Amino acid sequence: LYFITTKSDGKQLFKCNRAQRHFVVTYLLCENPYWRLIILKSRQLGFTTLINLWLFDDILWNLNYEALVVAHTLEDAKQIFNKKVSYAKDNLYRDVAAQCNFNKSSAKRVEAVFPDNSKSGISVANSGRSGTSQDLHVSEFAKLWKAFPTRAEEIITGTIQAVPTNGNVFIESTAEGMAGLYYEMFMGAWKRRDKITPNMSVAEFFPVFYNWQWDDSSVNS
């Protein structure tokens, strides 16, 4: 349903690459999905695109639904909004877009208004905020902690805790050394990965790792 723009090919209908497809089928669209996932990834695998389209899809097809994307910097937040969320909204198929109206978007939010006047929205920010979001995506958390450790702590103790148990939380990042809050969270979860069941993931992060070998353009080059 959603279009993206790429550096090499411009406007393209989004289709999962190998890493994205494996992630969705294994952890999200399965009989027992995982609710909280912490992702260690190689660059250029498209997880930011995938997760933000997942959140946008949730607000488009659910009434009174809120999603929040927290990025490393304000500039990153704006780029995510413009290139992922807003672009997908602006290029929806006409019959899909007709199912709801969109309030005039701010620089950081898309809000869908449905026929019964209920609303659902997705916002981007460079820090956590008060209030409850059913979906949360924290992008490049290792970089965020490295630059703004207090802000990163607040996201863990405040923003994530406000997400209900039936909401998705995605923390993803490339590695930024063998230290820091993201490293500790990921390695702690990785050591327990055989014990963390989907039911446990409503409160505990399940770790997943996608290295450069999932990048078919690198493998085949």
Side-chain angles (χ1 to χ4, degrees):
L1 292 179
Y2 308 117
F3 285 89
I4 61 172
T5 182
T6 66
K7 291 181 180 178
S8 57
D9 300 315
K11 181 180 177 180
Q12 296 288 316
L13 184 65
F14 175 74
K15 296 181 180 180
C16 285
N17 61 31
R18 185 164 60 97
Q20 293 165 338
R21 186 180 304 108
H22 180 272
F23 179 75
V24 169
V25 171
T26 306
Y27 303 110
L28 300 178
L29 294 181
C30 50
E31 184 176 355
N32 295 303
Y34 289 83
W35 298 97
R36 299 192 175 201
L37 290 150
I38 184 166
I39 306 156
L40 176 59
K41 60 173 190 175
S42 177
R43 298 183 186 278
Q44 306 302 319
L45 295 181
F47 276 95
T48 299
T49 297
L50 170 68
I51 294 171
N52 281 280
L53 289 180
W54 182 273
L55 268 59
F56 180 63
D57 187 84
D58 270 349
I59 70 114
L60 197 61
W61 301 105
N62 292 282
L63 305 180
N64 301 310
Y65 206 90
E66 284 292 326
L68 175 64
V69 182
V70 179
H72 168 222
T73 64
L74 183 59
E75 184 60 31
D76 284 344
K78 290 179 179 178
Q79 285 192 12
I80 287 173
F81 181 88
N82 291 330
K83 294 183 178 180
K84 317 298 183 184
V85 179
S86 187
Y87 191 87
K89 173 187 74 71
D90 292 341
N91 289 279
L92 281 173
Y93 289 112
R94 189 173 302 173
D95 55 343
V96 177
Q99 302 305 308
C100 65
N101 293 315
F102 289 100
N103 278 343
K104 185 177 180 180
S105 299
S106 71
K108 301 179 183 179
R109 180 173 173 80
V110 164
E111 187 173 79
V113 183
F114 299 97
D116 66 351
N117 289 321
S118 60
K119 299 177 182 179
S120 294
I122 178 170
S123 304
V124 294
N126 65 333
S127 63
R129 65 174 188 179
S130 60
T132 299
S133 298
Q134 280 79 17
D135 285 344
L136 173 65
H137 171 207
V138 183
S139 179
E140 292 296 348
F141 188 66
K143 290 182 179 180
L144 195 156
W145 180 86
K146 195 171 184 179
F148 311 103
T150 301
R151 186 189 302 168
E153 294 279 1
E154 290 172 350
I155 290 169
I156 298 300
T157 59
T159 311
I160 290 176
Q161 300 306 315
V163 178
T165 55
N166 63 345
N168 289 121
V169 180
F170 305 96
I171 297 179
E172 52 85 3
S173 188
T174 49
E176 290 288 323
M178 299 175 64
L181 183 56
Y182 171 79
Y183 175 81
E184 293 169 0
M185 289 179 62
F186 182 86
M187 292 307 300
W190 188 259
K191 292 174 183 177
R192 285 180 41 79
R193 65 189 182 279
D194 294 334
K195 300 178 181 179
I196 303 172
T197 65
N199 287 340
M200 293 171 63
S201 72
V202 299
E204 186 172 357
F205 281 95
F206 184 83
V208 295
F209 173 46
Y210 290 90
N211 64 19
W212 65 270
Q213 292 176 311
W214 285 92
D215 183 352
D216 290 335
S217 63
S218 297
V219 173
N220 298 326
S221 61

